[in-house]
Amino acid sequence: MSAKLFGIVATILLVAGLAGAAPAAADRNQCAPPGLDSANVLPDDLMSRTDGQSEDSDDTDTTASVVPLTSVNTAALGLGTPGVLLAGTLSDAPPSTCINATGRYTGFDNELLRAMAAKLGLQVRFVGTDFSALLAQVASRRFDVGSSSVKATDARRHTVAFTNGYDFGFYSLVVAPGSAIKKFTDLSVGQRIGVVQGTVEETYVVDTLDLQPVKYPDFATVYASLKTRQIDAWVAPANQASTAIRPGDPAVIVANTFGTGDFVAYAVAKDNQPLVDALNSALDAVIADGTWSALYSKWKPRTLAPGWKPGSRTAPAPKLPDFAAIAADHHRRSVQPAVPKSTLTQLRESFLDWDMYRQAVPALLTTGLPNTLILTGSASLIGLAIGMGLAIAGISHQRWLRWPARIYTDIFRGLPEVVIILIIGLGVGPVVGGLTNNNPYPLGIAALGLMTGAYVGEILRSGIQSVDAGQLEASRALGFSYAAAMRLIVVPQGVRRVLPALVNQFIALLKASALVYFLGLIANQRELFQVGRDLNAQTGSLSPLVAAGIFYLLLTVPLTHLVNYIDARLRRGRAKLQPEDPPEVVTSTIGPEMT
């Protein structure tokens, strides 16, 4: 590694160390249960809307009752692995779903699903994925169940089935302090309204408010954009909004609203009614024995919406603490108002939190770095093999070889990388699930390798075609067969000429390995970017992403300098093949000779 790179990294860490003297942004772990001390009541704008109304009045999807838990046959639940409930979840949406510092998927939704699975005698295996892909993965049986505070809307019921509701949700409108936006009706065309793609908040903004929002891949990114004034407002799930906003942040909740009566439920494949019935029975069981109430009080201590309760219609009403009294008691306590933070302080706490660097580096070293190298190295080998085959086929005189190679190259170079990864993961994954044991890791490597092969094939083809045709003709004249001449004479020269371009392609592949997360990975399969992203979601600090970026620099910058070195070496090598001109001798007929 160059001394210059070491200097850059050292400077970043030094500044981060100085920033550590300030209160650390990581002091509050967003993936830890907030507990009863954070109890609150529903906002007034929600209470006035639901007062005297019953959410059940328009609910035709909650079952009247459930089958007895003792009659559930776990062998007939259609699970991909007998005895194991494979659940797709998110790592960045506390307190509902998140991954903690030990690599455990937790949060109210996931802990409740664990308790329900225990009632059924099942183990739960959580796999992280992206919300925009979750329902499609459940529908294709990539996951047995989707656990991510999914609202059971009519539109989603066309894709998946849902259990009875285990939680209710509402939307919050988050804006910067002093904003002219005070309520949802203040949102208008021309404003930048942030939402997470694929969520009901996006649907609410588009269908109900008739506006076009700015779509983000996760909650941490949209909230960071709001704090830096890149968007005017954030329409957010109330739980995520209240958890993300810390004292002193330049963000406030100004309004709340319910959706169209949709409750939060677990998603299951449409054709797997036995699993839906079993989960409904387990949900009623954990409500009856007080487990639901204990988890709700631990993770989401707030008053219930009037007329709403979890489970089936015959499930007992949960016994909960008096959240209103607890919240009122806390309100009476003397609490110093948070001091507004300067822009410099916000940047320092977000990007240069020394405690977060110390927390992130071990996880990046032990989990992120090995997986990134495995993904990149394995896909590179596959890409080289495919690329060489495509290059040879591409210069062949046989159409039946050239045309398939050209079609393959056009497709895999023309489609975005994430589209290819999702197509292979969601399309091919279920077909080869028996071979991969429903593990997306091999599919991710295969997708990266197939994409890399298309680019490498074009690089190698151009290198081979740049070799003078006389090389092949001379080789054939000396008695080499066509195959031997290509293998021993032409191809080595062509590869030598395009080595810099090949290394550049492998650098691009290393960075593209972060996209494999869309297929769903367990905690110990996360690569560098996802480890940083998960720590960012836990703490609200951007320092873990900066730490992940430093690791990428430590990998890519040396490779970049290697490319430059190889290129310079090859150029010097070609120059040395020509004999040096002798020193010029200047003679004169007048006077002595001069050199």
Side-chain angles (χ1 to χ4, degrees):
M1 186 191 309
S2 66
K4 181 179 179 180
L5 177 61
F6 269 121
I8 294 173
V9 175
T11 302
I12 292 175
L13 294 181
L14 176 60
V15 177
L18 295 175
D27 288 344
R28 179 187 176 202
N29 184 355
Q30 296 181 8
C31 196
L36 279 176
D37 286 343
S38 64
N40 59 82
V41 297
L42 286 182
D44 292 337
D45 49 1
L46 290 182
M47 294 297 292
S48 61
R49 177 175 175 178
T50 59
D51 189 24
Q53 299 178 15
S54 173
E55 288 292 310
D56 288 340
S57 60
D58 297 326
D59 178 15
T60 59
D61 297 302
T62 298
T63 61
S65 61
V66 297
V67 299
L69 195 62
T70 54
S71 67
V72 175
N73 179 11
T74 56
L77 299 183
L79 303 180
T81 302
V84 177
L85 190 66
L86 186 63
T89 187
L90 303 188
S91 60
D92 61 351
S96 300
T97 58
C98 55
I99 186 169
N100 63 22
T102 64
R104 173 186 171 94
Y105 284 102
T106 185
F108 174 69
D109 300 43
N110 292 338
E111 295 300 338
L112 179 64
L113 186 60
R114 282 192 176 98
M116 292 166 57
K119 293 290 185 182
L120 298 170
L122 302 174
Q123 295 181 343
V124 185
R125 183 185 179 204
F126 288 100
V127 178
T129 187
D130 190 85
F131 189 84
S132 61
L134 177 61
L135 295 185
Q137 290 169 324
V138 171
S140 66
R141 297 291 188 102
R142 165 71 182 88
F143 301 130
D144 299 315
V145 61
S147 171
S148 183
S149 289
V150 185
K151 273 201 167 186
T153 65
D154 290 337
R156 288 172 173 170
R157 291 183 186 277
H158 291 297
T159 304
V160 295
F162 286 99
T163 65
N164 289 326
Y166 63 84
D167 194 8
F168 66 98
F170 57 94
Y171 317 136
S172 292
L173 180 60
V174 188
V175 298
S179 171
I181 301 173
K182 302 299 183 184
K183 52 186 180 297
F184 285 94
T185 54
D186 290 337
L187 297 174
S188 60
V189 176
Q191 295 173 337
R192 292 177 59 82
I193 307 165
V195 296
V196 173
Q197 184 176 12
T199 60
V200 289
E201 290 77 40
E202 177 190 352
T203 304
Y204 175 75
V205 173
V206 174
D207 296 341
T208 303
L209 301 181
D210 198 23
L211 299 171
Q212 290 302 316
V214 181
K215 303 174 185 179
Y216 289 86
D218 56 70
F219 296 107
T221 305
V222 65
Y223 183 53
S225 297
L226 177 73
K227 292 194 294 183
T228 55
R229 305 296 180 95
Q230 297 179 55
I231 56 176
D232 301 306
W234 172 27
V235 178
N239 285 319
Q240 275 69 50
S242 59
T243 301
I245 299 175
R246 298 194 301 270
D249 278 2
V252 292
I253 297 175
V254 294
N256 301 275
T257 184
F258 275 108
T260 56
D262 307 312
F263 50 73
V264 173
Y266 295 108
V268 180
K270 287 188 68 174
D271 58 351
N272 196 354
Q273 189 61 39
L275 181 56
V276 174
D277 294 339
L279 291 175
N280 282 338
S281 299
L283 177 58
D284 275 20
V286 297
I287 294 171
D289 69 9
T291 301
W292 185 94
S293 297
L295 290 173
Y296 186 83
S297 301
K298 181 179 179 180
W299 288 96
K300 295 186 174 182
R302 65 180 181 191
T303 54
L304 297 184
W308 181 88
K309 69 179 181 66
S312 71
R313 297 185 188 279
T314 56
K319 297 180 180 179
L320 294 169
D322 189 346
F323 295 132
I326 298 173
D329 181 61
H330 289 167
H331 182 70
R332 286 191 293 268
R333 297 177 187 176
S334 176
V335 179
Q336 293 290 343
V339 178
K341 300 175 184 177
S342 66
T343 301
L344 182 61
T345 300
Q346 293 174 34
L347 291 175
R348 183 179 60 188
E349 291 186 354
S350 293
F351 294 100
L352 301 173
D353 186 340
W354 180 245
D355 288 339
M356 281 309 310
Y357 282 106
R358 289 192 297 182
Q359 181 180 342
V361 168
L364 290 168
L365 275 175
T366 58
T367 302
L369 181 61
N371 284 315
T372 295
L373 294 177
I374 290 172
L375 289 169
T376 305
S378 302
S380 296
L381 295 176
I382 295 174
L384 278 174
I386 294 176
M388 182 59 71
L390 291 173
I392 298 300
I395 63 176
S396 172
H397 297 296
Q398 303 295 327
R399 290 183 180 178
W400 65 273
L401 287 176
R402 283 202 321 273
W403 287 7
R406 175 49 54 192
I407 293 173
Y408 178 98
T409 301
D410 288 343
I411 291 175
F412 281 90
R413 290 181 69 194
L415 290 175
E417 294 167 332
V418 67
V419 172
I420 295 175
I421 287 175
L422 287 176
I423 288 176
I424 292 177
L426 302 182
V428 180
V431 178
V432 299
L435 297 176
T436 63
N437 195 26
N438 286 324
N439 183 358
Y441 209 75
L443 294 175
I445 291 174
L448 291 173
L450 291 172
M451 291 185 299
T452 302
Y455 288 94
V456 170
E458 286 296 280
I459 293 172
L460 292 177
R461 183 179 64 83
S462 64
I464 293 171
Q465 289 183 325
S466 70
V467 177
D468 190 273
Q471 297 282 332
L472 179 60
E473 295 171 358
S475 303
R476 298 300 301 275
L478 291 174
F480 285 86
S481 66
Y482 177 82
M486 291 293 294
R487 178 170 53 88
L488 299 175
I489 307 297
V490 178
V491 171
Q493 293 185 69
V495 172
R496 181 172 178 265
R497 295 184 178 190
V498 295
L499 273 178
L502 285 175
V503 177
N504 278 326
Q505 180 57 41
F506 296 143
I507 291 175
L509 172 62
L510 187 147
K511 293 181 288 186
S513 63
L515 298 175
V516 174
Y517 181 75
F518 280 92
L519 297 184
L521 300 175
I522 60 177
N524 61 11
Q525 292 177 333
R526 296 171 297 160
E527 35 62 50
L528 286 170
F529 170 72
Q530 195 55 44
V531 171
R533 179 188 179 190
D534 289 343
L535 288 172
N536 164 234
Q538 291 172 24
T539 62
S541 171
L542 294 173
S543 295
L545 290 176
V546 176
I550 292 174
F551 271 78
Y552 279 112
L553 287 176
L554 294 176
L555 293 172
T556 58
V557 172
L559 286 175
T560 303
H561 286 286
L562 177 63
V563 170
N564 297 334
Y565 171 77
I566 293 173
D567 188 52
R569 183 64 179 270
L570 292 177
R571 292 179 184 275
R572 287 197 300 270
R574 288 197 295 271
K576 290 181 179 179
L577 292 176
Q578 301 175 358
E580 296 182 357
D581 295 333
E584 183 179 359
V585 178
V586 180
T587 60
S588 174
T589 57
I590 302 176
E593 291 184 353
M594 300 179 62
T595 61

